[in-house]
Amino acid sequence: MLSEIALYGAIETGLIYGLVAFGIYISFRVLDFPDLTVDGSFPLGAAVAAMLIISGWNPWLATGAAVLAGMAAGAVTALLNVKLKILNLLASILTMIALYSINLRVMGRPNVALLSEETVLTPWYDLGLAFHQVPVVLFLIVVGVSLVLLWRFMKSETGLAMRATGANPRMARAQGIATGAMIVLGIAVSNGLVGLAGALFAQSQGAADVTMGVGVIIIGLASLIGGEAVITPSSVLRALFACVIGAIVYRLAIAFALNADVLGLQAQDLNLITAILVTLAIVLPGVRSSVVSKFTRNKA
Amino acid sequence: MAKRSLRTLIGASLLAAASLVQAQESRTVAITQIVEHPALDAVYQGVKDELAERGFKEGENLTVMHESAQGNSAIAAQIARKFVGESPDVIVAIATPSAQTVAAAAREIPVVFSAVTDPVGAKLVSNLEAPGANISGVSDMLPIDKHLDMVNKALPDAKRIGTVYNPGEANAVSLVNLLEERLEARGMTLEKAAATKTSEVLGATRSLVGKVDAIYLTTDNTVISAVEAVISVGERTDMPVFAADTATVDRGAVAAMGFNYYNHGRQTGAMVARVLEGKAPGDMPVETMETLDLHVNPSAAERMGMTLPQTLIDEAQKVIQNDE
């Protein structure tokens, strides 16, 4: 069975990927913008935070800078799409591959270790919690604050304009909404969240590595869709909760797969499991609603 | 009836006691590796074989847990947490990213790393001689100077060396930086060509043509995966290709002085055995590979427009002849 440390580890990684899922919620769900920039902005956040931390910056300031770097990366993708009229998917792929080189430049090498550095977690270890509980408590606070801020933003006038942009751009433009600006802002915020996730991940794992972005998009998507299968995203608040729950459930599934010798599952099956989970999660809500509607029709 | 149940109870408790004794004798080693790949898999096998030779046999008195993160750092992090949670006697971490995640998660459990090129740069240890904490291991840092001696013996006039490497591979970059430094110390120069994926190796090698007297390749995973591209350019342009790992000589490189990762795993296994016997990793200096094999390929040398000196052929442990 799952040990306590493995359980906390799964929740910790799940919370970090919850931030990624928030970002993917904004791009995929709110703006209907398939954004692969995240595979580059996740290690970018890690790289910026790591370099600033080893050069003596306060870890929170370094994390803030990582958010700004992620936002800049997102803005580039959006501007390629809005100003240069490059297809959104392609625009994000261009930024993603550019970020690989940029991340190497930022770090000056492929791997920057933070194992003995002061991080955002360091002061929390003195609070008397168990070693493996500290990141969970801190990241719970970070994710909670992000969730509230995002929720309030989505309810603000700008947030409503952004949602309108994604739902029906033509109508939004007719209402006088600058849809281009909304896309730039939205994709920037989305990648800022992913940059934050990368910065926190590097600090809890002890290193920023240029390869750590591989597959962030698919794991974020799996978290988002899985969460939506568990909690119907009928409101923004429920959708944001779904992101966090989905990310944690996904990590718990992996933790169980790592322990599931009984089922014959092994780590090398994880990519297949991810693909099956995402497929199921996409298919299941449709199945469920058709079952429900049949049931109600029969009842009537 | 009561008698029978009493007998069952005694029997059961005896069984439980027996398994408890066995549990006390049995040791657990948890092995995590970042990705499945022939060299790293060979390390894993080497660790297990060496442990078996030293009396720690899997299934008898040793339980081995093994996980691969498939190149995904988030999974590596979860594997590290899982292993720490199971508190094995030793955690073995194969390759730098896995070693870093284990180091971040394990405070008291002994950790032995393997296939880490630069343990100080990766902040796994602060000092190679006396690591101090709960971590030590075996580094696969190449003996670059011995390799350059080999190149100098084969081509005494070569002054400009070229290399192809992936700037995204931590180990490769450390090696190329060291290579540049060691070449400068010999009054030689290094020309670098970057290839971020296997499909770029051919183009990167072509960019070196005319600028260098010979090519020397480190143990860069990307480049070695596509080493045939380097060799084909070398053969067409008379640019001899030397390598750091002996398997590349079979594939057409002129010569290499290397160690194999299976032996690297054996050396790691010996360290793990010492930890199981009660030694603290912090008291064990980080080790590098001791046994080096020279492999030469005179026919490949001919195809690249050079003749290997007989002295070098005589020194070789293995002479490969693959005329086409």
Side-chain angles (χ1 to χ4, degrees):
Chain A
M1 267 328 278
L2 222 51
S3 71
E4 192 193 335
I5 293 176
L7 177 70
Y8 276 97
I11 298 172
E12 172 192 338
T13 317
L15 286 169
I16 292 171
Y17 275 85
L19 294 168
V20 175
F22 285 164
I24 289 175
Y25 166 72
I26 296 173
S27 56
F28 273 73
R29 286 287 183 259
V30 174
L31 283 171
D32 198 20
F33 190 116
D35 179 26
L36 305 191
T37 315
V38 294
D39 273 21
S41 54
F42 188 82
L44 174 68
V48 168
M51 289 314 290
L52 293 176
I53 287 172
I54 61 169
S55 62
W57 276 46
N58 172 291
W60 282 110
L61 281 179
T63 307
V67 175
L68 293 179
M71 291 182 78
V76 169
T77 297
L79 287 171
L80 286 175
N81 172 244
V82 172
K83 295 287 176 206
L84 302 182
K85 309 279 179 235
I86 298 171
L87 182 71
N88 47 21
L89 189 65
L90 180 60
S92 72
I93 292 173
L94 291 175
T95 315
M96 178 187 77
I97 64 159
L99 281 172
Y100 186 84
S101 304
I102 291 169
N103 292 339
L104 281 174
R105 276 280 177 190
V106 169
M107 298 199 284
R109 51 191 181 277
N111 182 295
V112 173
L114 290 172
L115 282 170
S116 46
E117 300 291 336
E118 174 115 355
T119 69
V120 291
L121 291 156
T122 316
W124 293 71
Y125 288 118
D126 302 330
L127 295 183
L129 288 163
F131 179 64
H132 54 271
Q133 291 170 335
V134 170
V136 173
V137 172
L138 178 62
F139 295 164
L140 206 54
I141 295 170
V142 173
V143 169
V145 169
S146 311
L147 189 146
V148 170
L149 290 177
L150 268 180
W151 177 48
R152 298 197 48 176
F153 171 71
M154 284 298 165
K155 289 205 305 183
S156 71
E157 203 164 311
T158 318
L160 287 170
M162 188 180 288
R163 286 155 70 185
T165 302
N168 189 337
R170 194 173 290 179
M171 179 71 90
R173 268 192 299 276
Q175 299 291 328
I177 295 169
T179 54
M182 284 301 135
I183 293 174
V184 175
L185 178 64
I187 300 301
V189 170
S190 163
N191 283 283
L193 286 160
V194 176
L196 173 63
L200 296 180
F201 189 75
Q203 292 177 65
S204 76
Q205 296 322 314
D209 195 285
V210 74
T211 61
M212 67 196 270
V214 178
V216 165
I217 181 71
I218 192 71
I219 295 167
L221 206 50
S223 307
L224 173 73
I225 294 173
E228 288 175 346
V230 180
I231 300 177
T232 327
S234 51
S235 68
V236 171
L237 190 61
R238 285 178 68 98
L240 292 174
F241 270 110
C243 289
V244 182
I245 300 296
I248 293 176
V249 166
Y250 179 80
R251 285 296 149 194
L252 288 173
I254 287 184
F256 277 109
L258 288 172
N259 282 278
D261 301 332
V262 193
L263 294 174
L265 283 177
Q266 288 191 328
Q268 55 261 45
D269 305 324
L270 287 173
N271 285 356
L272 177 64
I273 293 169
T274 308
I276 294 173
L277 278 181
V278 173
T279 312
L280 281 181
I282 292 171
V283 173
L284 279 182
V287 173
R288 188 173 59 188
S289 61
S290 73
V291 169
V292 168
S293 64
K294 252 181 211 153
F295 185 67
T296 45
R297 218 178 293 138
N298 289 348
K299 217 173 163 187
Chain B
M1 203 63 191
K3 214 174 205 175
R4 190 193 281 174
S5 61
L6 188 68
R7 212 182 296 152
T8 331
L9 191 71
I10 292 170
S13 46
L14 275 177
L15 257 173
S19 64
L20 201 69
V21 169
Q22 208 175 19
Q24 276 170 349
E25 281 174 349
S26 181
R27 316 303 294 272
T28 307
V29 174
I31 305 177
T32 169
Q33 73 188 61
I34 187 67
V35 73
E36 277 156 309
H37 145 321
L40 301 185
D41 293 347
V43 172
Y44 167 63
Q45 196 56 47
V47 171
K48 285 210 298 185
D49 290 354
E50 183 69 25
L51 283 172
E53 200 157 282
R54 287 173 186 254
F56 298 98
K57 291 201 175 68
E58 202 181 349
E60 288 177 27
N61 57 353
L62 180 72
T63 309
V64 176
M65 294 189 272
H66 179 226
E67 299 288 357
S68 148
Q70 293 159 82
N72 185 316
S73 49
I75 295 180
Q78 282 194 265
I79 291 172
R81 299 295 200 276
K82 174 200 150 136
F83 282 167
V84 171
E86 311 232 337
S87 50
D89 295 295
V90 187
I91 300 178
V92 180
I94 303 174
T96 307
S98 281
Q100 285 173 326
T101 53
V102 172
R107 298 237 122 169
E108 273 114 34
I109 301 170
V111 178
V112 176
F113 59 78
S114 193
V116 171
T117 302
D118 182 7
V120 176
K123 298 233 170 100
L124 294 168
V125 297
S126 50
N127 181 338
L128 293 176
E129 291 309 312
N134 59 331
I135 301 183
S136 188
V138 188
S139 158
D140 61 359
M141 176 52 85
L142 298 178
I144 294 269
D145 270 313
K146 287 184 186 155
H147 288 179
L148 294 180
D149 288 343
M150 169 188 79
V151 175
N152 282 151
K153 266 187 218 163
L155 287 174
D157 298 330
K159 286 280 167 270
R160 304 169 305 167
I161 303 296
T163 195
V164 186
Y165 75 110
N166 180 354
E169 245 182 68
N171 286 348
V173 174
S174 309
L175 287 170
V176 167
N177 289 341
L178 183 69
L179 178 65
E180 189 156 39
E181 185 192 308
R182 303 316 301 159
L183 278 170
E184 269 169 24
R186 288 166 188 250
M188 295 163 77
T189 57
L190 181 70
E191 190 77 39
K192 296 178 275 190
T196 57
K197 42 184 171 295
T198 49
S199 58
E200 294 171 4
V201 171
L202 183 65
T205 313
R206 283 191 182 136
S207 76
L208 293 172
V209 174
K211 294 186 202 159
V212 300
D213 305 315
I215 286 184
Y216 164 77
L217 301 175
T218 66
T219 45
D220 182 303
N221 291 316
T222 310
V223 176
I224 297 304
S225 303
V227 77
E228 279 76 12
V230 182
I231 288 165
S232 70
V233 175
E235 289 179 355
R236 244 169 283 149
T237 59
D238 283 352
M239 187 164 60
V241 177
F242 295 84
D245 77 297
T246 51
T248 308
V249 182
D250 292 320
R251 294 162 76 180
V254 172
M257 190 184 265
F259 55 85
N260 66 43
Y261 273 87
Y262 175 76
N263 288 337
H264 190 73
R266 296 287 298 233
Q267 201 171 328
T268 309
M271 217 163 179
V272 175
R274 271 180 280 149
V275 175
L276 288 176
E277 283 153 7
K279 211 156 181 245
D283 302 333
M284 295 155 69
V286 173
E287 297 179 5
T288 49
M289 285 306 291
E290 288 146 11
T291 46
L292 290 174
D293 277 356
L294 174 66
H295 288 199
V296 295
N297 189 335
S299 51
E302 237 161 76
R303 288 198 292 275
M304 292 176 185
M306 64 171 287
T307 315
L308 272 176
Q310 193 58 42
T311 50
L312 206 64
I313 298 177
D314 293 341
E315 269 176 47
Q317 275 75 29
K318 195 169 169 191
V319 180
I320 292 149
Q321 290 285 0
N322 48 3
D323 294 296
E324 277 157 42

